[in-house]
Amino acid sequence: MHKDISAKREKEKELVSEMIALYCRKRHGGKKRKSDWRCVMKLKKILYVVLGCIGVALGALGAVLPLLPAFPFLLLAAFCFARSSERLNRWFTGTKLYKNNLESYVKGRGMTRKTKIKIMVTVTLLMSVGFIMMDRVLVGRIVLACVWVFHILYFLFGVRTIPKGEVSGQP
């Protein structure tokens, strides 16, 4: 069974690679060139920029809406912009949205109590919906409960709580 899945994934990867190569060759008159990898890199860069922009948009919504967490989307945006463009990465890391929600965590200092509580409440609410919907699936409820407990333990003991004044870089 495991070999079937890995073989299927390999076929999918080959298919995607072939589609990208065909696209790049079409742009160069149908000939295979050394510059095909540049075309592939451009497509990856475009994909990272698009995903980063989606992450920023959802993160901005999450900063305003109480049920949508900003943190994971901003983390996605930081990852994508770091992979796509140095200029976009500099812009994003200079925004107030990044500095208020992500900077201290990325630098390894921790999170403010308010940010930690907001993340824990959001995850608790969303996981409770899944828990309620799995009323007849005992294994699913046990897995969700374990994930929830480890999530809470991680944010309580694994992520350092920093005073609000340290977020902006002040000791």
Side-chain angles (χ1 to χ4, degrees), residues 19 65 90 105 140 154:
M19 287 172 59
L65 299 175
R90 260 187 280 121
Y105 181 76
Y154 173 74

PDB file of all heavy atoms in Angstrom, residues 19 65 90 105 140 154:
ATOM      1  N   MET A  19       4.795  19.189 -17.245  1.00  0.00           N
ATOM      2  CA  MET A  19       3.923  20.301 -17.635  1.00  0.00           C
ATOM      3  C   MET A  19       4.680  21.623 -17.591  1.00  0.00           C
ATOM      4  O   MET A  19       4.556  22.450 -18.494  1.00  0.00           O
ATOM      5  CB  MET A  19       2.694  20.352 -16.716  1.00  0.00           C
ATOM      6  CG  MET A  19       1.702  19.245 -16.971  1.00  0.00           C
ATOM      7  SD  MET A  19       0.372  19.152 -15.754  1.00  0.00           S
ATOM      8  CE  MET A  19      -0.359  20.758 -15.894  1.00  0.00           C
ATOM      9  N   LEU A  65     -10.500  40.433  12.798  1.00  0.00           N
ATOM     10  CA  LEU A  65     -11.601  39.526  13.162  1.00  0.00           C
ATOM     11  C   LEU A  65     -11.193  38.626  14.319  1.00  0.00           C
ATOM     12  O   LEU A  65     -10.117  38.044  14.305  1.00  0.00           O
ATOM     13  CB  LEU A  65     -12.000  38.667  11.958  1.00  0.00           C
ATOM     14  CG  LEU A  65     -12.509  39.420  10.739  1.00  0.00           C
ATOM     15  CD1 LEU A  65     -12.747  38.456   9.587  1.00  0.00           C
ATOM     16  CD2 LEU A  65     -13.784  40.172  11.063  1.00  0.00           C
ATOM     17  N   ARG A  90      11.782  42.295   2.721  1.00  0.00           N
ATOM     18  CA  ARG A  90      12.114  43.516   3.470  1.00  0.00           C
ATOM     19  C   ARG A  90      10.865  44.349   3.739  1.00  0.00           C
ATOM     20  O   ARG A  90      10.678  44.868   4.840  1.00  0.00           O
ATOM     21  CB  ARG A  90      13.136  44.354   2.697  1.00  0.00           C
ATOM     22  CG  ARG A  90      14.535  44.192   3.190  1.00  0.00           C
ATOM     23  CD  ARG A  90      15.513  45.150   2.541  1.00  0.00           C
ATOM     24  NE  ARG A  90      15.860  44.614   1.226  1.00  0.00           N
ATOM     25  CZ  ARG A  90      15.676  45.234   0.077  1.00  0.00           C
ATOM     26  NH1 ARG A  90      15.185  46.442   0.041  1.00  0.00           N
ATOM     27  NH2 ARG A  90      15.994  44.667  -1.063  1.00  0.00           N
ATOM     28  N   TYR A 105       8.310  36.366  17.874  1.00  0.00           N
ATOM     29  CA  TYR A 105       8.321  34.897  17.794  1.00  0.00           C
ATOM     30  C   TYR A 105       9.398  34.419  16.826  1.00  0.00           C
ATOM     31  O   TYR A 105      10.133  33.479  17.119  1.00  0.00           O
ATOM     32  CB  TYR A 105       6.954  34.372  17.363  1.00  0.00           C
ATOM     33  CG  TYR A 105       6.904  32.872  17.298  1.00  0.00           C
ATOM     34  CD1 TYR A 105       6.820  32.117  18.450  1.00  0.00           C
ATOM     35  CD2 TYR A 105       6.979  32.208  16.077  1.00  0.00           C
ATOM     36  CE1 TYR A 105       6.790  30.728  18.406  1.00  0.00           C
ATOM     37  CE2 TYR A 105       6.951  30.828  16.020  1.00  0.00           C
ATOM     38  CZ  TYR A 105       6.852  30.095  17.181  1.00  0.00           C
ATOM     39  OH  TYR A 105       6.839  28.733  17.123  1.00  0.00           O
ATOM     40  N   GLY A 140     -11.716   9.865  16.541  1.00  0.00           N
ATOM     41  CA  GLY A 140     -11.537  11.251  16.097  1.00  0.00           C
ATOM     42  C   GLY A 140     -11.575  12.217  17.266  1.00  0.00           C
ATOM     43  O   GLY A 140     -10.777  13.157  17.336  1.00  0.00           O
ATOM     44  N   TYR A 154       1.912  23.436  24.690  1.00  0.00           N
ATOM     45  CA  TYR A 154       2.993  24.091  23.938  1.00  0.00           C
ATOM     46  C   TYR A 154       2.956  25.603  24.135  1.00  0.00           C
ATOM     47  O   TYR A 154       3.975  26.230  24.388  1.00  0.00           O
ATOM     48  CB  TYR A 154       2.906  23.739  22.452  1.00  0.00           C
ATOM     49  CG  TYR A 154       3.897  24.511  21.618  1.00  0.00           C
ATOM     50  CD1 TYR A 154       5.245  24.196  21.652  1.00  0.00           C
ATOM     51  CD2 TYR A 154       3.493  25.571  20.816  1.00  0.00           C
ATOM     52  CE1 TYR A 154       6.168  24.906  20.906  1.00  0.00           C
ATOM     53  CE2 TYR A 154       4.402  26.293  20.074  1.00  0.00           C
ATOM     54  CZ  TYR A 154       5.738  25.947  20.128  1.00  0.00           C
ATOM     55  OH  TYR A 154       6.643  26.675  19.391  1.00  0.00           O
TER      56      TYR A 154
END
